[in-house]
Amino acid sequence: MTDSASPQQSPAVTGLILSGGGARAAYQVGVLAAIAELLPEGAENPFPVIVGTSAGAINAVGLACGALSFTGAVERLTQVWKGFRTGQVYRADWPGVFSQAFKFLGHSLLGLGKREPVALLDSTPLRYLLERELDLSGIAAAVRRRNLRAVAVTAFGYESGQAVTFYQGRATIDPWLRHRRIGVPTRLQIEHLLASSAIPLLFRPVKILREYFGDGAVRQQAPISPALHLGANRVLVIGVSGNPTVGGANEQVAAYRTGQPPSLAQVGIHLLNSTFIDSLEGDIELLHRINFLSALVPEEARRATLGLAPVDVLLISPSRPLDEIAAQYRHELPRALRLFLRGPGATKASGAGVLSYLLFEPGYCNALIELGYRDAMEKRAEIARFLGMEDWSL
């Protein structure tokens, strides 16, 4: 359930929600590039609260590290995503793919090396990339100069079963405890990003203090809630679902009906979508309902009722199905990965949804960046209204 930290907050504090989705997060960079272009010259960071999950957590922290210059931070993110190669995120070479696969089978079937967690893919290169590209000291500097109120990333605790939001921000922000979700103040480190982006089975969980953590989208019941706890009272959500309209969705489903048993890739994409997409879309729907209910309650009662303060929300999400775009660029996947994923059916058109999460290659990432830029520009008037800057030159 989405809830706010206080019934009424003034002045307006804008939160940015960056959802998870592996390589799909390239779309977020395109949206951010459009916003940076629309901002007046010399404008400060328009998002005092930044919250991210999974790959969105990496983008969120990248923005927070450069919050003293929002435009510069977006440019650095764009440069990294435009030049992405799969090998920068996980090992995609022949020795790396097959040695990791044997480790996974030995661990899962034979019980070898149980003390060390393993996964299907070796994400060691991602650590090197983050250590090279991120200057985490920039977060404290931005908070100190009040260009940033807080930045947060969410990870899932495998033993506790809780969605834990690790946040760094002003000392006046109180931790929170809700059903299976808590907020913990900390100084963000690379481990928090690796944990938040550790897709179950695909990437190895990360130990933080005494518990192993994985992708924050797992069992994240209220993706928007952390931003509200951190002080936001309006949120811009950049989704990565790529779901077409209802009518288009029905036509697409009918087109793909073959009567054949589902491949492992088809099963996998439904599990991934339920993890990364469904909870966010459900939370947005719930937030709209709360706003509707809030409008029916007298203002005096609203002020005295926790959780009924209206929260303005703007959603920007792909106008095209990302599965279709991934299918167009599946040839870019390294050969070892193509062979590894051929059996489960991920290299076929019907299994391209899995590729949409794993295809960290320039063609695909640049296509998503361009799509995000165009989608945001289509909504530039709404973005201007939302951020309270209707005097932009549109």
Side-chain angles (χ1 to χ4, degrees), residues 112-153:
L112 302 177
K114 282 191 173 182
R115 288 186 175 272
E116 289 296 327
V118 296
L120 283 169
L121 301 173
D122 181 359
S123 57
T124 302
L126 179 59
R127 174 183 288 274
Y128 300 144
L129 175 70
L130 297 178
E131 290 175 345
R132 183 176 69 249
E133 297 293 339
L134 294 179
D135 179 9
L136 296 176
S137 65
I139 298 175
V143 172
R144 185 169 56 251
R145 294 179 58 175
R146 297 193 173 273
N147 286 69
L148 182 70
R149 178 181 175 85
V151 58
V153 303

Side-chain angles (χ1 to χ4, degrees), residues 60-368:
V61 171
L63 284 179
C65 289
L68 293 178
S69 174
F70 178 79
T71 301
V74 171
E75 289 176 351
R76 285 190 292 274
L77 274 178
T78 304
Q79 183 178 11
V80 170
W81 278 95
K82 282 189 172 182
F84 248 140
R85 293 286 182 180
T86 300
Q88 294 176 288
V89 181
Y90 54 90
R91 289 194 62 178
D93 57 300
W94 291 98
V97 170
F98 284 99
S99 65
Q100 191 67 20
F102 286 130
K103 286 181 183 178
F104 181 82
L105 291 175
H107 182 277
S108 302
L109 299 181
L110 303 178
L112 302 177
K114 282 191 173 182
R115 288 186 175 272
E116 289 296 327
V118 296
L120 283 169
L121 301 173
D122 181 359
S123 57
T124 302
L126 179 59
R127 174 183 288 274
Y128 300 144
L129 175 70
L130 297 178
E131 290 175 345
R132 183 176 69 249
E133 297 293 339
L134 294 179
D135 179 9
L136 296 176
S137 65
I139 298 175
V143 172
R144 185 169 56 251
R145 294 179 58 175
R146 297 193 173 273
N147 286 69
L148 182 70
R149 178 181 175 85
V151 58
V153 303
T154 299
F156 170 74
Y158 278 100
E159 288 188 286
S160 65
Q162 291 181 320
V164 181
T165 298
F166 300 98
Y167 66 90
Q168 181 175 347
R170 298 180 188 174
T172 54
I173 301 174
D174 295 325
W176 63 88
L177 174 61
R178 297 293 185 271
H179 178 64
R180 293 198 177 278
R181 50 193 174 92
I182 62 175
V184 179
T186 189
R187 191 175 185 89
L188 292 176
Q189 304 294 333
I190 297 297
E191 280 70 23
H192 295 103
L193 301 183
L194 293 173
S196 181
S197 58
I199 302 175
L201 296 181
L202 294 180
F203 299 141
R204 185 173 63 179
V206 178
K207 193 172 186 179
I208 299 176
L209 298 178
R210 294 177 296 176
E211 185 175 11
Y212 279 97
F213 288 86
D215 199 294
V218 177
R219 299 186 71 176
Q220 189 181 35
Q221 301 172 352
I224 298 176
S225 178
L228 306 184
H229 282 291
L230 295 172
N233 48 30
R234 61 183 182 187
V235 290
L236 173 65
V237 181
I238 306 179
V240 294
S241 66
N243 289 334
T245 60
V246 175
N250 290 335
E251 294 173 3
Q252 187 181 48
V253 169
Y256 278 131
R257 283 176 181 161
T258 63
Q260 299 297 318
S263 66
L264 186 58
Q266 287 175 301
V267 173
I269 188 57
H270 284 295
L271 293 175
L272 288 171
N273 285 344
S274 66
T275 297
F276 290 104
I277 296 172
D278 293 350
S279 59
L280 178 61
E281 293 178 345
D283 206 29
I284 292 174
E285 183 178 351
L286 178 59
L287 187 57
H288 284 310
R289 291 178 180 176
I290 292 177
N291 286 342
F292 178 77
L293 178 62
S294 175
L296 300 178
V297 176
E299 185 174 353
E300 296 77 10
R302 190 190 311 161
R303 292 177 179 177
T305 305
L306 182 64
L308 282 184
V311 178
D312 195 9
V313 58
L314 175 62
L315 171 65
I316 301 177
S317 59
S319 57
R320 288 185 58 196
L322 302 192
D323 301 12
E324 293 180 1
I325 300 176
Q328 296 172 7
Y329 293 95
R330 59 179 179 267
H331 64 277
E332 291 190 343
L333 198 68
R335 289 184 178 180
L337 262 296
R338 285 208 299 268
L339 178 62
F340 185 67
L341 296 174
R342 183 181 301 166
T347 56
K348 299 179 181 179
S350 59
V354 172
L355 290 184
S356 71
Y357 288 89
L358 297 178
L359 191 55
F360 293 91
E361 292 293 331
Y364 177 62
C365 290
N366 279 273
L368 296 197

